[in-house]
């Protein structure tokens, strides 16, 4: 009887711990905010900062943006590979990466927004610290993303935690856009007049004011970064898969082949690669587009904030929609929703009211593009586990390779788009730009993103995991977990008897 009671006691917590409290979900979700806060600040403002505040040539700015994103892409699978081979510690397998990387990420992020007191070598300065920050951010975000698979074995609980995370992450983009935009907006909108341009002192003071505004904004974001990392560490307990057999460590090439040979993963990643590129291209050029093509220099930070607020408020709606109608339907509607508004904003004459209305509508699609990829990646990982029951502990590879392809492609697109501004005749630090620059920006925020969205949705049609398959995989995976838990309980009971 004692042996049976011990077996029940050991088995019961294993099933109970899969349930996540609202507090745990919130603490987990808050851990995703730093990535989005810094990402939105860099995505919306780094290009215009390098061109108009640091006053770099558009060619060098394009090199920094491309190399930084490309380096970031390379570090993702590398860190994912290292994380998958990490040993379990007293605080987990993912948490040490998150804790150690945080102070270095904060320092390098701050130095990105500092204009060094020397002219020669500024390109190297921004390139080095941008790459270092991306590396440290990767050491935080890849383990954090993979942590989804270790907070619970219940798919329903993971989906719920992912919804919390996506809402906080979109809120993080709002926070990043609001902090960066509202603090630097006033300084950025202060464009020198002809008198100021002739007066070197006034022109210099305006640029110094811009520099100080960007530094202050980065300091506030760094403080929030540290706070969110602390909440994640204190509020989330990483679960160890004690009942699962461990597969032999894989080499990097073996891990790459393992991930790349899984058909549903490739189709999902390729599809989201193109749709995400559309929104990243829009994000990277939207501040310049609003400022120079639409002429809303004094309102660009508010328009960006409206997009993010709209996205935050519609995240719960998309979570309800994908639960009610399925994830595939949500992908088609969520991504195609923005297309008519992308076309509208470049087709009509510049109008501030229309710009705000388009921003609200665009935010709805931004919310879908945030939620759906991270909600569907666990489904692919579960499908892989069903088809490869003897391979365990390599979940981080799926997340890191997804981010790798996304960041590398976005680096190429942003580099090319910034370089195209140079060929269009972009004037560094200028209050107005030639008509060719305005035309180029219109192409970058409408026809090109629309083409990417269409291509991504065409590829997504081949994605095989529908709602029926997903539910079937969930049941099969639960049976495997229950079987392993029973085996562990029987082994423990046998040991107690002996």
């Amino acid at each position: 009887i004692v042996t049976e009671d011990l077996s029940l006691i050991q088995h019961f917590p294993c099933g109970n711990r899969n349930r996540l409290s609202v507090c745990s979900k919130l603490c987990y979700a808050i851990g995703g905010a730093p990535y989005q806060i810094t990402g939105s600040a860099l995505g919306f403002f780094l290009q215009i900062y390098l061109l108009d505040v640091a006053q770099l040539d558009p060619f060098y700015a394009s090199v920094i943006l491309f190399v930084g994103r490309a380096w970031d892409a390379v570090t993702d699978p590398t860190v994912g590979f290292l994380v998958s081979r990490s040993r379990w510690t007293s605080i987990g397998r993912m948490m040490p990466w998150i804790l150690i990387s945080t102070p270095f990420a904060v320092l390098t992020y701050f130095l990105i927004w500092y204009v060094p007191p020397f002219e020669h070598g500024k390109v190297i300065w921004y390139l080095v610290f941008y790459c270092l920050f991306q590396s440290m951010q990767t050491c935080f975000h890849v383990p954090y993303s993979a942590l989804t698979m270790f907070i619970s074995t219940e798919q329903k609980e993971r989906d719920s935690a992912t919804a919390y995370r996506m809402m906080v992450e979109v809120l993080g983009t709002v926070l990043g856009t609001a902090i960066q935009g509202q603090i630097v907006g006033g300084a950025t909108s202060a464009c020198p007049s002809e008198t100021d341009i002739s007066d070197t002192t006034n022109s210099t003071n305006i640029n110094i004011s811009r520099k100080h505004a960007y530094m202050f904004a980065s300091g506030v974001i760094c403080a929030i970064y540290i706070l969110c990392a602390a909440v994640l560490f204190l509020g989330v307990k990483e679960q160890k898969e004690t009942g699962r057999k461990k597969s032999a460590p894989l080499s990097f090439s073996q891990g790459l082949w393992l991930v790349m040979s899984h058909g549903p993963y490739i189709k999902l990643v390729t599809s989201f690669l193109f749709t995400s590129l559309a929104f990243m291209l829009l994000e990277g050029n939207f501040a310049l587009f609003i400022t120079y093509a639409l002429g809303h220099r004094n309102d660009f930070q508010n328009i960006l904030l409206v997009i993010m607020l709209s996205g935050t408020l519609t995240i719960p709606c998309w979570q309800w929609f994908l639960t009610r109608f399925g994830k595939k339907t949500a992908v088609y509607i969520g991504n195609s929703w923005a297309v008519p508004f992308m076309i509208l904003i470049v087709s009509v004459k510049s109008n501030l009211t229309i710009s705000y209305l388009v921003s609200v509508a665009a935010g709805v699609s931004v919310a879908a593009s945030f939620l759906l990829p991270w909600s569907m990646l666990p489904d692919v990982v579960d499908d892989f586990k069903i088809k490869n029951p003897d391979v365990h502990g390599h979940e981080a590879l799926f997340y890191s390779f997804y981010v790798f392809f996304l960041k590398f492609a976005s680096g190429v697109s942003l580099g090319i788009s910034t370089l195209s501004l140079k060929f269009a005749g972009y004037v560094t630090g200028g209050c107005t730009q030639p008509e060719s620059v305005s035309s180029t920006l219109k192409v970058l925020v409408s026809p090109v993103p629309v083409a990417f969205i269409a291509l991504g949705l065409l590829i997504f049609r081949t994605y095989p995991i529908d709602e029926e398959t997903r539910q079937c995989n969930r049941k099969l995976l639960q049976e495997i977990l229950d079987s392993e838990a029973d085996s562990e309980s029987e082994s423990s009971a046998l040991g107690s008897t002996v």
Side-chain angles (χ1 to χ4, degrees):
I1 295 174
V2 173
T3 302
E4 292 176 353
D5 288 342
L6 287 172
S7 176
L8 288 173
I9 291 171
Q10 290 169 343
H11 181 71
F12 178 75
C14 187
N16 188 47
R17 69 184 179 183
N18 291 329
R19 303 282 299 181
L20 296 175
S21 66
V22 173
C23 180
S24 295
K25 293 176 184 178
L26 283 173
C27 290
Y28 167 72
I30 288 172
Y35 182 79
Q36 298 302 337
I37 291 174
T38 57
S40 63
L42 289 168
F44 280 124
F45 295 96
L46 183 59
Q47 185 184 46
I48 197 170
Y49 167 80
L50 293 175
L51 293 174
D52 290 349
V53 180
Q55 297 188 353
L56 298 181
D57 184 271
F59 172 76
Y60 293 119
S62 69
V63 170
I64 292 170
L65 292 172
F66 167 70
V67 174
R69 289 294 184 104
W71 173 258
D72 187 21
V74 171
T75 59
D76 275 292
T78 305
V79 171
F81 172 72
L82 295 174
V83 168
S84 68
R85 296 174 68 94
S86 298
R87 294 182 179 181
W88 179 267
T89 69
S90 59
I91 59 173
R93 189 151 62 99
M94 308 296 167
M95 284 297 182
W97 287 86
I98 293 171
L99 285 180
I100 295 173
S101 64
T102 295
F104 297 103
V106 167
L107 176 63
T108 52
Y109 178 80
F110 181 79
L111 292 175
I112 290 174
W113 303 102
Y114 173 72
V115 180
F118 46 82
E119 191 64 32
H120 298 289
K122 279 202 300 187
V123 175
I124 301 299
W125 173 279
Y126 290 115
L127 188 59
V128 168
F129 286 111
Y130 188 37
C131 289
L132 285 176
F133 169 73
Q134 299 287 17
S135 299
M136 295 300 102
Q137 181 76 302
T138 298
C139 290
F140 182 103
H141 193 249
V142 168
Y144 172 77
S145 299
L147 190 62
T148 309
M149 306 301 296
F150 297 99
I151 56 176
S152 175
T153 56
E154 287 284 345
Q155 185 181 18
K156 184 178 180 181
E157 293 297 308
R158 295 201 307 258
D159 284 347
S160 177
T162 299
Y164 276 82
R165 171 191 166 188
M166 291 303 106
M167 188 167 183
V168 172
E169 287 196 358
V170 174
L171 186 61
T173 64
V174 173
L175 198 58
T177 306
I179 292 171
Q180 194 83 5
Q182 298 304 314
I183 292 177
V184 308
T188 304
S189 61
C191 195
S193 63
E194 292 183 4
T195 305
D196 292 328
I197 293 173
S198 61
D199 188 339
T200 306
T201 302
N202 288 341
S203 181
T204 302
N205 288 338
I206 290 174
N207 201 40
I208 291 175
S209 176
R210 292 175 176 177
K211 295 175 183 178
H212 289 169
Y214 275 98
M215 288 181 61
F216 180 71
S218 67
V220 174
I221 289 176
C222 287
I224 297 174
Y225 194 117
I226 295 172
L227 179 62
C228 292
V231 170
L232 174 65
F233 173 69
L234 296 174
V236 176
K237 182 173 178 57
E238 186 177 342
Q239 294 185 11
K240 186 177 182 181
E241 295 182 306
T242 55
R244 306 210 71 178
K245 297 178 287 185
K246 302 298 179 183
S247 58
L250 299 178
S251 66
F252 184 82
S253 58
Q254 288 173 325
L256 176 62
W257 171 253
L258 193 71
V259 172
M260 293 299 102
S261 61
H262 191 56
Y265 176 77
I266 292 299
K267 293 173 182 177
L268 182 70
V269 167
T270 305
S271 171
F272 280 131
L273 173 65
F274 286 105
T275 55
S276 298
L277 271 179
F279 292 104
M280 284 192 171
L281 196 61
L282 183 66
E283 176 190 66
N285 293 281
F286 204 59
L288 289 171
F289 172 74
I290 294 171
T291 302
Y292 296 115
L294 298 184
H296 303 321
R297 173 180 289 275
N298 296 328
D299 297 277
F300 84 94
Q301 70 273 17
N302 297 324
I303 293 175
L304 297 179
L305 184 58
V306 167
I307 294 176
M308 296 297 103
L309 283 173
S310 173
T312 302
L313 295 175
T314 52
I315 279 283
C317 299
W318 283 117
Q319 178 62 22
W320 170 84
F321 188 92
L322 66 87
T323 304
R324 178 69 176 80
F325 299 101
K327 296 181 180 181
K328 293 192 73 172
T329 304
V331 169
Y332 288 122
I333 296 178
N335 287 289
S336 59
W337 174 266
V339 171
F341 299 101
M342 289 180 179
I343 297 173
L344 175 65
I345 200 168
V346 299
S347 301
V348 300
K349 188 177 180 180
S350 176
N351 183 286
L352 187 59
T353 302
I354 292 179
S355 297
Y356 275 109
L357 291 175
V358 169
S359 299
V360 173
V364 176
S365 283
V366 170
S369 69
F370 268 91
L371 175 64
L372 293 170
W374 298 110
S375 178
M376 298 179 75
L377 278 172
D379 299 337
V380 176
V381 176
D382 286 344
D383 185 73
F384 176 83
K385 288 181 177 180
I386 296 296
K387 296 176 181 176
N388 300 272
D390 297 325
V391 179
H392 308 293
H394 307 294
E395 292 84 359
L397 292 175
F398 287 89
Y399 290 87
S400 60
F401 277 113
Y402 166 67
V403 179
F404 163 76
F405 291 121
L406 191 63
K407 289 181 178 179
F408 185 84
S410 67
V412 173
S413 65
L414 285 177
I416 292 177
S417 65
T418 308
L419 190 61
S420 66
L421 294 177
K422 177 179 176 62
F423 293 129
Y426 186 91
V427 180
T428 301
C431 289
T432 58
Q433 300 294 337
E435 183 62 30
S436 57
V437 171
S438 176
S439 301
T440 302
L441 288 169
K442 289 180 180 180
V443 171
L444 292 173
V445 301
S446 184
V448 177
V450 168
F452 279 152
I453 290 174
L455 183 57
L457 293 181
L458 284 174
I459 296 173
F460 187 73
R461 288 178 60 86
T462 64
Y463 178 64
I465 302 178
D466 54 17
E467 287 302 302
E468 183 179 353
T469 303
R470 191 170 71 87
Q471 294 299 331
C472 180
N473 285 346
R474 183 185 65 82
K475 293 178 181 178
L476 289 173
L477 189 60
Q478 190 60 48
E479 290 174 2
I480 293 174
L481 292 172
D482 291 342
S483 176
E484 290 175 349
D486 291 339
S487 298
E488 182 184 10
S489 298
E490 291 174 3
S491 298
S492 300
L494 180 60
S496 300
T497 304
V498 173

